Amino acid sequence: MRSAPRSLLAAICCAIALASPATAARLSAAQHAETLAIWKKMVSIPTVQGRGQMPVMADYVADLLRKGGFAVEDVIVEGSGDATTVAARYRGTGKTGKPILLSGHMDVVEARASDWTRDPFTPVEENGYLYGRGVLDMKFGNAVMVFTLLKLKQEGFRPSRDIILLLSGDEETEMLTTQRLAKQYGVAELLLNADGGGGLLDPQGKPVAFYVQGAEKTYADFEVTITNPGGHSSRPHADNAIYDLALAIDRIAAYQFPAQTNELTKAYWSATGKLVGGKLGNAMQAFAANPDDKAALATLRAEPEYVGITGTTCVATMLSGGHALNALPQKASVSVNCRIFPGVSIESVKAKLTEVIANPKATITTLGAPVASDASPLRPDLMKALRKGVDLSFPGLPIIPQMSAGATDSLYFRALGIPSYGVIGMFIKPEDDFSHGLNERAPIASIDPALLLMRSLLLDLAK
Ligand SMILES: [Zn+2]
């Protein structure tokens, strides 16, 4: 996924562009052109699950890196079909400790040519945008990481620690390759993910803020089931699985998980509150200062865009029950989808649902195998490096930490205790975010700030 901060701009009424639109630093035309060429080539490979193209993409990247000076044995293409991965090690001097990981995914969401205005796998430049499936999510990020590594190699840069590029093959679906990569490369100082974070432009194209994604909520589904001996519907009685379930659903609907903040969401509320202003902005700032502020909490929880950042949420999503029109139900069940605040265990949420439902006849099961994800700390070295890297293009632009509701590859690395940050320098307007959707497009002008940022981060964090 790509977690674009689209929601924020909708709430900003009269945002003053705090940064100068002029880019402070410039790249050579050649660097811009080479990155664009890699980006387009990647988009032209239809890496949709089931089309057998992941190995083609992996070989393309591996070939580029080897031709650019990476040792053959340092670029590992593993697995087959959609489960293909790339791991490329940029060897450091070993002066400092654990490696820095660069994370991306090669796969894209399906795109049917018949639904699109242009062929989704023929990259087209138009009015400053590149069109094609995956231009945003996330072949831009892959191109930026690959080009940056090639350029640093060409210049003879020797990092103090290893930098390892990890490209997964099934982030949009099973995430099995992510789990494998996390197992193999799960000892690292930190991870930079090009699939999260990013810059926000106002409708006039001026940058408003840069987001660093430092946390994701944990995704978990539960099923609440009530069973009953049933019987003939001509002999009804109060003991009814559907009535019991309806009561349970009522209780879930009425329950609110406690308000929560962490270092990251506090910084988010406080900075976003200043940008948004008005009643909503004031509530954000009040909530940042005091999560017990009931009025502020009520204001934020009334907004679908923001309720998820205030704590854990659970909501009924699917329902089934009964087996015949003329029989008392023997079984009724509801699926409950929870988005759990970082640091809260999946088991404790299940226990809370059990307590809220308060019916010993109800059984609650966890669906699948959810993985909890903690928030990454706002490391001073990372924040300082980001400040420097963003300033190269947009001096003084606010940098705002962000927690996303969806999952990226960072999930499995955070679960191993590796601080992980979404930091791609793609600057877009909210109305330009069509990731996963039709006619996906991305502004080509993002190449320069993104290259400057990625390069600066690596030079700083692996110096
Ligand atoms: Zn993605």
Side-chain angles (χ1 to χ4, degrees), residues 97-437:
K98 292 180 278 183
I100 287 178
L101 304 178
L102 293 182
S103 167
H105 63 85
M106 298 184 286
D107 57 320
V108 293
V109 170
E110 178 64 273
R112 285 199 190 89
S114 54
D115 298 342
W116 281 52
T117 311
R118 307 158 192 82
D119 179 62
F121 299 104
T122 305
V124 176
E125 284 181 58
E126 219 175 276
N127 300 326
Y129 292 95
L130 187 67
Y131 284 83
R133 169 56 88 225
V135 288
L136 262 179
D137 188 8
M138 61 153 291
K139 288 176 172 172
F140 175 80
N142 291 341
V144 166
M145 292 189 293
V146 167
F147 179 81
T148 302
L149 293 177
L150 287 171
K151 183 79 183 136
L152 290 173
K153 200 74 162 177
Q154 189 194 32
E155 291 169 4
F157 170 64
R158 299 219 41 209
S160 60
R161 52 173 93 241
D162 287 4
I163 299 168
I164 308 175
L165 172 70
L166 300 176
L167 299 180
S168 62
D170 63 345
E171 191 268 356
E172 299 288 5
T173 51
E174 318 283 312
M175 287 185 144
L176 297 175
T177 60
T178 317
Q179 293 174 53
R180 190 177 78 214
L181 289 172
K183 236 180 237 163
Q184 290 171 307
Y185 300 93
V187 178
E189 183 62 28
L190 56 81
L191 177 143
L192 302 178
N193 193 332
D195 194 23
L200 178 67
L201 302 176
D202 73 6
Q204 285 72 46
K206 286 189 181 154
V208 175
F210 181 83
Y211 289 84
V212 47
Q213 192 253 43
E216 291 164 7
K217 292 184 90 179
T218 301
Y219 178 107
D221 289 307
F222 300 99
E223 190 168 63
V224 180
T225 303
I226 296 187
T227 52
N228 189 288
H232 202 286
S233 61
S234 64
R235 296 152 54 97
H237 49 89
D239 184 19
N240 179 303
I242 289 178
Y243 295 164
D244 281 350
L245 190 75
L247 196 57
I249 293 171
D250 247 5
R251 288 175 177 162
I252 294 168
Y255 180 71
Q256 290 204 352
F257 282 83
Q260 277 188 281
T261 56
N262 57 28
E263 175 199 31
L264 188 143
T265 62
K266 265 189 207 165
Y268 170 85
W269 289 124
S270 150
T272 308
K274 277 180 212 144
L275 286 176
V276 169
K279 184 177 177 241
L280 187 59
N282 289 341
M284 289 175 179
Q285 296 205 57
F287 186 67
N290 175 19
D292 294 328
D293 186 326
K294 296 275 178 287
L297 180 65
T299 302
L300 298 179
R301 287 204 163 161
E303 301 281 335
E305 295 294 343
Y306 297 112
V307 59
I309 310 169
T310 65
T312 297
T313 61
C314 288
V315 63
T317 51
M318 289 173 79
L319 190 62
S320 71
H323 58 284
L325 291 173
N326 57 358
L328 297 175
Q330 290 168 7
K331 188 176 164 187
S333 63
V334 64
S335 308
V336 178
N337 177 247
C338 297
R339 307 295 178 129
I340 303 171
F341 201 81
V344 175
S345 76
I346 296 164
E347 272 311 303
S348 72
V349 172
K350 189 177 172 184
K352 179 50 81 178
L353 287 176
T354 308
E355 183 194 317
V356 167
I357 292 166
N359 182 345
K361 282 183 279 180
T363 56
I364 303 183
T365 47
T366 308
L367 303 180
V371 177
S373 164
D374 284 350
S376 297
L378 296 175
R379 289 170 54 133
D381 57 349
L382 187 265
M383 296 310 285
K384 198 173 153 210
L386 269 178
R387 181 71 272 160
K388 191 167 149 191
V390 170
D391 280 351
L392 291 174
S393 302
F394 307 112
L397 188 70
I399 296 178
I400 305 179
Q402 178 195 42
M403 173 172 76
S404 45
T408 67
D409 281 340
S410 293
L411 162 66
Y412 289 96
F413 292 90
R414 286 206 185 97
L416 292 173
I418 300 172
S420 303
Y421 306 95
V423 290
I424 189 60
M426 164 67 76
F427 283 77
I428 59 168
K429 298 177 188 176
E431 66 263 32
D432 284 342
D433 188 355
F434 295 100
S435 52
H436 294 203

